[in-house]
Amino acid sequence: MMRREILTAAAVTAGTIAGGTLVAGSAAAAPGGGDAAPGRGTAPGLAKKDTLAFAAGSAIWIGTAVAGGGHHDSQDYPPPFTDDATYRELLGREFTSLSAENQMKWDFLRPDRETFRFDEADAIMDFAAEHGQVVRGHTLLWHNQNPEWLEQGGFSADELRALLKEHIETVVGRYAGRIHQWDVANEIFDDDARLREEQNIWIRELGIGIVADAFRWARAADPQAQLFFNDYNVDGINPKSDAYYALIQELLADGVPVDGFSTQGHLSTRYGFPGDLADNLQRFADLGLRTAVTELDVRMDLPDGAEPTPEQLEKQAEYYRRVTEAALSVEGCESLTLWGFVDTYSWVPVTFEGQGAATVMWEDYTRKPAYHAVRDALAAASGRAGHPALER
């Protein structure tokens, strides 16, 4: 494979961050300093210079999804997390936060009604503890990636309610005190800003009140974890993010323990950048919520297996930089997660035909301009811009 790292200088705009200190009672302290989180020791990754983790310092948790489950099961490579030594080495060195890409979703955790498959999720938790990383839990209530036995089981409303309560109590309880943030409710609105009353088995059969119950059950199972709504296409101020803004205000007024709102950040260079990203996150922060970017990638059109052009790579880097700067500019936005960091294991080509190269590293683990854009924006906010270790 040719080395495709193009060393273009990313523009750096100094940002400010006041969200590095977590809410009182949180399961984790500020990245790189402060009181130790449960299972958090001295982070080996932070001692390695010229990494995203080092550049971020205490400004923000910089994370990635841990590849596994989902589309990976049908690919012609071994499981990345367990079989790719380079992947594991970079996973521990580059990041201070991890999210299970699929290993904590219903269809992976619950192969049948009586069984919980925890081995893979436990391995991620253990890896994070070993490397001084926090973990985002993903996800508890969703319309997608549910097992067939659940969707086709013909359960009564009472049975479904008991199943969800048992699931949340078991999963959240197992990792109580070790999870930084949980995506409690994922993608409950469709692209037209309507509740997924047909697609989402929980809302269809139990009504919107089940969402409030899920947050309450999660809080009871782990009083320390921050509890989030999470969705895609809510980067800017639009009808879909407006729907969350209205719903969350209602829930807060009713005393429901909603702690945060997060946008996934699945972007494409074929569309314009959501320039009001920071404004959107800020209005949720103004409600007293934490915010986060949880699944950042930037795909591009690559018809017939074409290689990205320098112009495409520059635009991709700009998008990554602008998201990073937006997150850093919002007080209380303390978590920025890439949805994978190497193209080899990205979900994008499997899901979006003719699109790809969405992550910050090529298949051979060399760095794209997007990597440097994220790193330099983090360094500018953390005061590490110009540090010798970060020179190319």
Side-chain angles (χ1 to χ4, degrees), residues 173-323:
R174 184 181 186 87
Y175 302 122
R178 300 175 63 195
I179 293 281
H180 176 205
Q181 299 171 340
W182 266 109
D183 291 331
V184 175
N186 195 48
E187 301 175 5
I188 66 168
F189 289 101
D190 65 20
D191 288 336
D192 295 320
R194 296 175 300 201
L195 275 174
R196 295 185 186 271
E197 293 179 304
E198 292 302 315
Q199 293 176 292
N200 189 309
I201 186 174
W202 311 110
I203 296 174
R204 182 180 69 240
E205 302 299 329
L206 302 174
I208 186 60
I210 193 62
V211 174
D213 289 336
F215 276 89
R216 293 188 179 103
W217 293 333
R219 172 65 87 237
D222 185 356
Q224 292 182 303
Q226 297 173 9
L227 308 180
F228 272 67
F229 280 100
N230 186 57
D231 212 326
Y232 66 93
N233 286 351
V234 291
D235 309 292
I237 299 174
N238 57 36
K240 192 173 182 181
S241 61
D242 284 345
Y244 278 103
Y245 188 70
L247 174 63
I248 289 172
Q249 289 183 87
E250 293 177 9
L251 294 175
L252 292 174
D254 289 340
V256 179
V258 179
D259 298 316
F261 170 82
S262 54
T263 182
Q264 294 174 8
H266 293 299
L267 304 180
S268 170
T269 58
R270 71 165 59 170
Y271 306 117
F273 184 84
D276 53 353
L277 171 59
D279 290 339
N280 185 42
L281 294 179
Q282 186 61 56
R283 66 172 174 160
F284 286 94
D286 290 343
L287 296 178
L289 300 179
R290 299 289 171 172
T291 61
V293 179
T294 56
E295 304 181 22
L296 177 61
D297 51 27
V298 183
R299 63 190 185 271
M300 58 185 76
D301 291 299
L302 300 172
D304 301 320
E307 290 286 313
T309 66
E311 291 76 20
Q312 285 179 305
L313 292 170
E314 183 179 0
K315 188 173 184 178
Q316 180 188 57
E318 177 194 0
Y319 279 30
Y320 268 102
R321 174 184 60 79
R322 293 180 69 182
V323 171

Side-chain angles (χ1 to χ4, degrees), residues 17 19-20 31 53 56-62 96 324 327-328 333-336 378:
I17 181 69
S58 62
I60 199 167
W61 299 99
I62 181 67
T96 57
T324 305
L328 290 162
C333 183
E334 55 195 35
S335 181
L336 170 64
L378 292 171

